């Protein structure tokens, strides 16, 4: 007899600061996917940002403060899941911030072991294959660096996308090359960043796809902003929006919102 | 070589606009990475060899003194001499002294980055000795008064037309754009120099402790003529090039050529083991090895020790999107690309080289291709930490980071701040999905639009949803 009393898997959602501020849809889509996969999702309110801006600027003091705050906020959840390889990758860096013997180091290691990016969580950890979504069109996929190289995310989003009805994937050239976002890099070295993102939008357009999809909002905002500036028609979305069947709202940078209500 | 690393941003800006340079960089990107990829694909055990190479290098670095001592003992047995030089200046003076002992007027040189590091050519010239570069790329650069922009393809920033023009000016021959003709011309010019040279200087890819041999790899064979024809052969090498045995060298050779050019093996692999013996057909009468430390032993035992594993294959720069955009000269000193962004601060000081380890998105491609698995992004971050500790980061950056961290460590305040910022941007964006110009974010909006937040923050919306559910 099947066990009908399996308790739901308790997941703490790591919202990520960019989804929180720029595109709440991404966090809602992540919640929806997690619930579809049988998880009970909670959003700990003591979370802010993963601390990457401080970490990558060599500011270990503030990185450590934020790391402790995040570790404490997600105490007690079976899993910590977020819609970004870069932010979850940062959570995986936390142990480096603490000395051996520091109790925080053990806690950081323990958090690392249960922190997952959403597509790899669904595929690698839950073996999930219950995507119910339709999107008719040709898309191309950008592999964001941290997800790809730090967390090994490559085939997971593609596998899940293949379950979306109507989607065809047309791979672009250099899908694995950095888009030039790099957090503070894009404002510290604007011209170099601009060259890198221009190369990227060029390859994306050449793929013949009508939509550019990826798993990290930083990169997506960068590429969407560039496509807009170049006057290209290509739409940009986070992969979870396609997977959760949430492509009704405008794509990134495409909005025509009724501000009167929203403010 | 003049240090221009503090001007990295300006140099990069100019480089991005330089049509010829961009064309040359395009050729680089279209060449090396693809060739490496297919060479790696043909060798299933490649990643296993990388692990072995990393472990072996770590072992060597733990026992660097022992292997160097052994190397010296064998060199002396072979009839040569080893000169230990702590600084670049020690090395220059030692080499000059050795040249003077031979009353040298002309010295031929094989390609060597460490001689660039110690600024040897200019020093010899100042002291009345004429150095002649014999590697084709280096030869072209010397004629132009230029410096390498890449560690294995020094003239990669030039196009065929540039070379044709340079040769025309210096060789006084009719212009040609046929690479074979240009090559023959260089060969003809260099042949005279090989014969006339009093001293030949080469670098070393490996120093073999068990045999006291030095080893160079080249694709032109110029190194062989440089070291066998003159009476004196001086090998200039940094200390971390030592390997225990010939067998060990072969492990690195397999990785080096594939990572660098995608060749299975470099064309010429030349071993030099001491001076000419009575029944040898050729070879130098005097054999010297100048060992250069120049800050390296200070890296041993620190986080930077990993950098000493480097075998100078250039894969990290060939695959680096930043190097690919701005080229090697923008980095403003001898070593460009990711490996240079780690080494340069050690050698010229983080005060001057601070912009280099910051010029990375940490995309991780360099580490992905490095044959000895050097964690280059981590080491670049190490320099950012040093910079931050020393209060060298720009004021605006520190201030921005400080205020951001103030909020990020206070969740309730942070909520209020993000809600306000989101609202502010939505007002700025109006009914459109993007903002064309955002105060304090010119670096972003000069080149691209800023997508506007699509509504209240997630945290605001989530809270509202939770409260509704409770009712
Ligand atoms: S750091 Fe690694 S990839 Fe770069 S030159 Fe050295 S060995 Fe090659």
């Amino acid at each position: 007899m099947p066990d009908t009393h399996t308790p739901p898997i308790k997941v703490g959602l790591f919202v990520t600061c960019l989804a929180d501020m720029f595109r709440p849809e991404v966090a809602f889509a992540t919640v929806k996917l997690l619930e579809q996969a049988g998880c009970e999702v909670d959003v700990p309110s003591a979370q802010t940002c993963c601390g990457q801006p401080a970490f990558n600027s060599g500011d270990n003091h503030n990185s450590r403060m934020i790391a402790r705050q995040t570790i404490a906020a997600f105490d007690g959840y079976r899993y910590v899941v977020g819609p970004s390889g870069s932010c979850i990758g940062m959570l995986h860096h936390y142990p480096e911030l603490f000395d051996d013997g520091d109790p925080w180091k053990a806690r950081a290691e323990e958090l690392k072991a249960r922190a997952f990016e959403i597509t790899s969580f669904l595929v690698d950890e839950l073996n999930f294959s219950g995507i119910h979504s339709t999107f008719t069109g040709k898309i191309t996929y950008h592999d964001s660096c941290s997800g790809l190289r730090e967390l090994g995310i490559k085939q997971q989003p593609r596998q899940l996308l293949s379950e979306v009805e109507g989607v065809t994937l047309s791979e672009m050239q250099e899908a694995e090359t950095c888009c030039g976002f790099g957090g503070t890099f894009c404002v510290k070295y604007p011209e170099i960043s601009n060259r890198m993102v221009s190369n990227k939008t060029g390859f994306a357009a050449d793929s013949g796809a009508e939509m550019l999809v990826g798993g990290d909002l930083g990169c997506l905002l960068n590429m969407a902003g560039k496509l807009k500036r170049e006057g290209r028609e290509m739409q940009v979305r986070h992969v979870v929006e396609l997977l959760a069947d949430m492509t009704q709202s405008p794509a990134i940078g495409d909005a025509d919102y009724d501000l009167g209500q929203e403010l | 070589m003049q240090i221009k690393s503090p001007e990295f941003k300006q140099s990069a800006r100019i480089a991005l606009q330089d049509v010829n340079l961009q064309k040359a960089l395009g050729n680089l990107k279209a060449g090396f990475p693809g060739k490496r990829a297919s060479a790696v694909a043909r060798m299933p055990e490649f990643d296993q060899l990388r692990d072995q190479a990393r472990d072996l290098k770590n072992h060597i670095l733990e026992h660097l003194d022992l292997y160097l001592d052994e190397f010296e003992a064998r060199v002396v047995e072979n009839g040569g001499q080893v000169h230990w030089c702590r600084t670049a200046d020690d090395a220059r003076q030692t080499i000059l002294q050795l040249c003077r002992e031979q009353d040298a007027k002309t010295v031929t040189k094989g390609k060597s980055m460490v001689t660039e590091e110690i600024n040897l050519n200019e020093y010899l010239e100042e002291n009345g000795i004429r150095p002649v570069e014999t590697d084709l790329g280096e030869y072209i650069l010397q004629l132009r008064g230029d410096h390498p922009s890449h560690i294995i393809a020094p003239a990669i920033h030039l196009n065929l037309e540039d070379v044709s023009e340079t040769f025309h000016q210096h060789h006084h021959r009719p212009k040609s754009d046929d690479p074979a003709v240009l090559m023959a011309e260089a060969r003809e010019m260099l042949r005279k120099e090989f014969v006339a040279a009093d001293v030949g200087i080469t670098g070393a890819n490996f120093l073999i402790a068990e045999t006291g041999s030095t080893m160079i790899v080249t694709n032109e064979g110029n190194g062989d003529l440089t070291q066998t024809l003159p009476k004196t052969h001086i090998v200039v090498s940094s200390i971390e090039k030592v390997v225990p045995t010939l067998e060990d060298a072969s492990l690195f050779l397999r990785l080096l050529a594939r990572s660098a050019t995608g060749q299975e093996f470099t064309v010429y692999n030349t071993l030099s083991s001491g001076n000419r013996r009575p029944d040898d057909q050729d070879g130098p009468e005097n054999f010297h090895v100048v060992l250069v430390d120049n800050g390296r032993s200070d890296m041993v035992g620190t986080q930077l020790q990993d950098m000493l594993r480097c075998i100078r294959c250039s894969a990290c720069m060939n695959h680096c999107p930043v190097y690919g955009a701005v080229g090697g000269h923008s980095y403003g000193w001898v070593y460009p690309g990711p490996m240079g962004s780690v080494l340069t601060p050690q050698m010229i000081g983080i005060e001057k080289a601070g912009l280099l380890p910051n010029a990375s998105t940490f995309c991780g491609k360099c580490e992905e291709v490095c044959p000895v698995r050097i964690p280059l992004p981590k080491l670049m971050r190490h320099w950012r930490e040093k910079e931050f500790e020393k209060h060298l980061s720009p004021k605006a950056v520190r201030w921005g980071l400080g205020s951001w961290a103030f909020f990020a460590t206070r969740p309730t305040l942070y909520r209020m701040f993000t809600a306000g910022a989101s609202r502010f941007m939505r007002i700025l964006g109006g009914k459109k999905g993007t903002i064309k110009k955002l105060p304090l974010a010119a670096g972003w909006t000069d080149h691209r639009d800023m997508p506007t937040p699509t509504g209240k923050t997630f945290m605001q919306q989530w809270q509202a949803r939770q409260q509704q559910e409770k009712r």
Side-chain angles (χ1 to χ4, degrees), chain B residues 121 125 131-133 137-146:
Chain B
N121 283 8
E125 275 164 20
V132 179
E133 295 287 352
E138 292 278 3
Y139 174 70
I140 297 164
L141 295 181
Q142 195 180 25
L143 292 182
R144 295 171 65 94
D146 199 352

Side-chain angles (χ1 to χ4, degrees), chain A residues 149-169:
Chain A
R149 301 199 179 87
E150 289 179 13
L151 305 175
I153 297 166
K154 176 78 190 178
Q155 122 293 341
Q156 300 90 327
R158 289 172 173 77
Q159 180 182 321
L160 294 169
L161 281 167
S162 72
E163 292 179 39
V164 176
E165 222 169 287
V167 158
T168 43
L169 178 66

